[in-house]
Amino acid sequence: MSTETPPSRADTVVIGAGAVGCSVAYHLTELGAEDVTVIDQGPLPVTGGSSVHAPGIMFQTSPSKIQTKTAYYTSRLLSDAGVYDEVGGIEVARSEERMDFLRRRVEWATAYGLPEPQLLSPEEVTEHLPMVHEDEILGGYYSPTDGRVDGIGALQWYMEHSSASFYGNTEVTDMDVSGGEINAIETDQGRIDCERAVIATNNWGYQTGQLAGLDLPIAPVEHQYVVTEPMDELADAETSVGDNTTGLEVPGDRSIAEYMSEGPHQPVGRDQDHSLYFRTHGDALGMGSYNHETLSVDPEAMGKNSEEHQASVRGFTKEHWETPTHRGRDKSAKQAFDELLPATQDVEYEATENGIFVFTPDGMPAVGETAQVDGLWTGLAIWWTHSGGYGRILAEWMENGVPRLPSGPVDTGGIHVRRFEPHAGEKDYFVDRGAKRYEQVYSIVEPRWQPDDHRGLRTSPFYHQQKELGAEFYQSGGWETPQWYESNADLVEKYEDRIPDQDGWQGINRSKIEAAEHLHTRDKVSMFDMTTFSSIMVEGEGSQAFLQRVCSNDMDLDVGQVRYSLLLNEGGGILADITVVKLDDEEFMVTTGGGNSPGIHGGHLEDEAPERVSVHVEEGAKSTIGLWGPNARLLLQRCTDADVTNGGFPYFRAKQMYVGEVPVIALRVSYVGELGWELWAPTEYGQRLWETLQDAGEDLGLRPMGGGALSSMRLEKGYRLWGTDIDTDSNPFEAGLPFAVDMDTDFIGKEALETARSEGIDSKITPLTLDDSTDIMLSGRPVMKDGEAIGYVQAGNYGYSLDESIAYTYVPIEYAEAGTSVQIQCEGETYVATVCNEPLFDPTRERIIK
């Protein structure tokens, strides 16, 4: 640790010396990075950020694999460092719905490798937590490696065990990002020239980003915490309160830092039914509450430390503690705590705070290199629970080009800072969405839940027709995307005997119309709105050579040829799966998915492109219809003079042609396993394209289909979905995509794939079908063999054409042989399933290539 003036130059500058910044610096230097400087506006180690006012409770189990994995890594790292109290964690249930949720916790923990997760009876809960009123609960979930991190102690440990230099009381005033790259960090202590920098300022993330011209969607929110006076029920516990922060400079109320530095001797607890959590602080009890209306903080008005004020702490608002102001809760925090922990009813509070922490619009972290500024990285919206893991991931990413933990590569699609839509940086939007995520922190969120605010932001040219057809819109990347159409309700009766009921949790927010649209498309013809998908134009001298370097497949294409390929990172992990179309010499169209694909995948191509190659991400510039089904050719031929026969327009070919009056780039490809085309047209022609097809296809049974049908149809064919089945945590051989790799060409990630091929793969993706159930399996549920978890469900749905429930999973290679019997645990049930060969549907591809 250094207390001198920061240097005038460093290879890497980390802005923020809290949990994330210190973790990044520690891991960078562990990996061999030299000349790393860390700066913070507050004193060290008590910076005044959320890392030092947080109670440090760590519950590791999450429905998200990466959140669970980063939490477990963090707990092991800090336990080895001696700054983690592994007292276990117990989540109690005060409703039947919560008991069902706790069963899911066991399944997620089992799937993702947390040790010994278990359900407890009320009596077993009170053996661990004797202050809990046994009659108030139905049971609990126990994770023995949960616990609490000593925040200040952990920051000190990082600083003492890293070769990085740390400087407190240094405020960032500006960033030099001229030329589209980070050049220097300006501070009140002078300028620091640098080659790269990391924004790890969390509560100040938006403000820091603004200095670089970035609109980072980081929304600060207050939540409450109190620490009681010493309690008779805890009198046997030792306490060091009064001595914990001796000799340290502490901004604001020292009692907060004192109590947060006092460890627990009982398991940490949560009452999620009332948005509450608690832990012991020696002979006192700490109680935290999300059980109040969202108290958003202006991201531009976070403020600074003073002797009287810790910048990330606001004054305690008693009304939010004693009055039920949370929209989803009927009891106040105090009332719910009084019932659960009766001994707290009349105690006084020694310390109180409204602490600030942050949320992104989707509630996940913002990690990675920014698209706008080369060399400027972010590690934001990360709590203590995951900070060690994300620090390791970010350091590996920066140093080696491969985001990973010691357990292996990780998937980054859901955490990448580039995933946010163009509108996400608007302050009202991300503050409102952050507020909603706060409200949901301890809520039971239903499958396929949809927000009801900030809707209709991005719509395709077909939106008004879709509304008239009764589209049920889901939001993806800000786009309104139909999931099914009420106009197709009549199809349910037609296919009723082929559509099983889906009851319980698996059936929530589903419609039988999705199944009917699936079956109708297999029988007739449907059109699917693909406007959310993205086209990326690659043009200019050297375009083909550039694509050859970034694509895993052979890019020596003829004009009009279409090729499926992958974009890989240096470790051979899958950054994207793409379709490349050669339109002319040195002119290509690359197509990829919607959602976060344009920012992540398009940004990758922009980053890698040489000076003479133009890469233009056409997000929203084209309106696209997928026309699929046995009658697709007959319909399309009615609308065009182009030859669309099998001989004149073979599979995986493209033509620039007219559909009616509309100029389109037509690709003969299919994501549903049926004869068909993708029709890409300029957005202004979209409405006419829809009308032309609709008028021509009425007697052929043309119907619109939504995302629900697409999901089940693509799973029957085993077509991969980036971010679900494939990501940077898998290589093409594991993902069953060797046909998308040409090892005779040179491309990014080839060396890693050569190693993987020579060593052999340890696991591979495989489909499972349930032996005797029509229930739909949900992602993140463990796949078991002989009582041990061997994988987890990546994606599940019902195969209506096959009349079987399908789940996809990665399993160790010794279990991947067709016919192997396994079990899936889902919603408290154990299902018998069988490993199958793929594709499950139309393995000869007769329906596609006819």
Side-chain angles (χ1 to χ4, degrees), residues 122 132-138:
V132 168
H133 187 359
E134 189 176 300
D135 293 343
E136 281 290 318
I137 62 173
L138 301 179

Side-chain angles (χ1 to χ4, degrees), residues 359-399:
F359 289 89
T360 60
D362 60 12
M364 292 294 283
V367 179
E369 188 175 17
T370 64
Q372 300 88 339
V373 182
D374 291 345
L376 183 59
W377 297 72
T378 63
L380 296 168
I382 299 168
W383 302 355
W384 261 119
T385 303
H386 314 99
S387 57
Y390 281 119
R392 175 64 180 261
I393 289 169
L394 192 55
E396 290 273 7
W397 207 345
M398 293 172 69
E399 280 294 289

Side-chain angles (χ1 to χ4, degrees), residues 47 262 310 374 508 521 531 659 715 724:
T47 61
E262 188 69 23
Q310 182 174 320
D374 291 345
I508 292 175
T521 305
T531 301
V659 175
L715 211 61
T724 299

Side-chain angles (χ1 to χ4, degrees), residues 673-798:
E674 293 293 334
L675 171 68
W677 285 262
E678 293 179 4
L679 305 174
W680 296 72
T683 296
E684 64 269 24
Y685 289 100
Q687 186 169 340
R688 180 58 60 88
L689 178 62
W690 179 286
E691 293 169 350
T692 299
L693 295 171
Q694 185 66 64
D695 292 344
E698 187 173 350
D699 65 318
L700 298 176
L702 179 66
R703 298 280 186 128
M705 62 171 274
L710 186 81
S711 175
S712 57
M713 295 180 80
R714 75 97 187 169
L715 211 61
E716 287 186 331
K717 285 295 294 180
Y719 292 147
R720 308 301 189 241
L721 177 61
W722 186 82
T724 299
D725 315 317
I726 54 174
D727 207 315
T728 44
D729 62 350
S730 56
N731 70 42
F733 305 137
E734 295 165 332
L737 299 173
F739 62 88
V741 177
D742 187 337
M743 297 297 285
D744 292 330
T745 63
D746 291 321
F747 53 87
I748 295 172
K750 179 180 178 179
E751 185 177 344
L753 291 194
E754 287 177 332
T755 301
R757 185 171 63 174
S758 64
E759 294 180 350
I761 58 174
D762 296 326
S763 66
K764 65 173 292 187
I765 197 169
T766 185
L768 311 173
T769 57
L770 299 193
D771 288 3
D772 54 7
S773 176
T774 59
D775 290 352
I776 291 175
M777 298 295 94
L778 300 176
S779 62
R781 306 310 172 93
V783 176
M784 312 292 290
K785 182 68 175 177
D786 300 327
E788 299 291 330
I790 61 171
Y792 61 92
V793 176
Q794 303 281 147
N797 213 316
Y798 197 76

Side-chain angles (χ1 to χ4, degrees), residues 90-93 99 118-142 267 340:
I90 295 177
E91 303 174 33
V92 300
M99 274 307 300
Q118 54 197 279
L119 291 178
L120 303 180
S121 67
E123 296 80 9
E124 290 170 323
V125 169
T126 56
E127 288 175 9
H128 291 283
L129 295 170
M131 292 178 67
V132 168
H133 187 359
E134 189 176 300
D135 293 343
E136 281 290 318
I137 62 173
L138 301 179
Y141 164 66
Y142 179 50
L340 183 67

Side-chain angles (χ1 to χ4, degrees), residues 77-317:
L77 173 70
L78 299 180
S79 178
D80 290 344
V83 292
Y84 182 68
D85 300 303
E86 192 173 294
V87 291
I90 295 177
E91 303 174 33
V92 300
R94 296 171 77 177
S95 66
E96 292 291 350
E97 293 79 10
R98 185 63 61 177
M99 274 307 300
D100 289 340
F101 177 81
L102 296 187
R103 293 184 185 96
R104 292 176 206 130
R105 305 294 265 186
V106 174
E107 291 169 0
W108 294 325
T110 303
Y112 302 143
L114 288 184
E116 301 179 44
Q118 54 197 279
L119 291 178
L120 303 180
S121 67
E123 296 80 9
E124 290 170 323
V125 169
T126 56
E127 288 175 9
H128 291 283
L129 295 170
M131 292 178 67
V132 168
H133 187 359
E134 189 176 300
D135 293 343
E136 281 290 318
I137 62 173
L138 301 179
Y141 164 66
Y142 179 50
S143 175
T145 57
D146 286 353
R148 167 263 180 184
V149 58
D150 175 1
I152 295 174
L155 297 180
Q156 289 175 308
W157 182 86
Y158 277 132
M159 294 175 190
E160 291 167 0
H161 289 80
S162 170
S163 60
S165 300
F166 295 80
Y167 302 88
N169 299 309
T170 302
E171 180 183 353
V172 175
T173 58
D174 203 357
M175 293 191 205
D176 179 352
V177 295
S178 57
E181 60 184 3
I182 187 71
N183 300 302
I185 307 299
E186 303 279 358
T187 80
D188 60 355
Q189 303 294 316
R191 176 184 171 98
I192 310 174
D193 292 325
C194 62
E195 296 178 5
R196 60 187 184 182
V198 181
I199 299 175
T201 51
N202 243 24
N203 294 341
W204 291 266
Y206 177 78
Q207 288 178 287
T208 311
Q210 289 285 288
L211 298 177
L214 305 179
D215 296 322
L216 298 173
I218 308 298
V221 183
E222 299 177 32
H223 93 291
Q224 297 191 302
Y225 197 80
V226 304
V227 183
T228 70
E229 62 186 347
M231 299 180 65
D232 292 341
E233 292 79 3
L234 302 171
D236 292 340
E238 297 181 359
T239 180
S240 301
V241 171
D243 300 322
N244 289 321
T245 61
T246 300
L248 298 179
E249 182 182 350
V250 178
D253 184 355
R254 182 176 289 269
S255 67
I256 293 173
E258 273 291 321
Y259 277 107
M260 297 311 170
S261 297
E262 188 69 23
H265 64 283
Q266 295 180 2
V268 296
R270 285 205 289 203
D271 170 15
Q272 292 178 286
D273 281 313
H274 297 90
S275 298
L276 307 175
Y277 63 96
F278 55 95
R279 78 165 177 92
T280 58
H281 296 254
D283 59 0
L285 186 71
M287 297 180 285
S289 169
Y290 298 93
N291 187 354
H292 53 77
E293 63 182 333
T294 307
L295 302 173
S296 296
V297 177
D298 184 345
E300 296 184 274
M302 272 300 304
K304 304 176 184 178
N305 292 325
S306 68
E307 290 186 6
E308 299 79 25
H309 175 69
Q310 182 174 320
S312 63
V313 174
R314 297 292 191 265
F316 185 72
T317 48

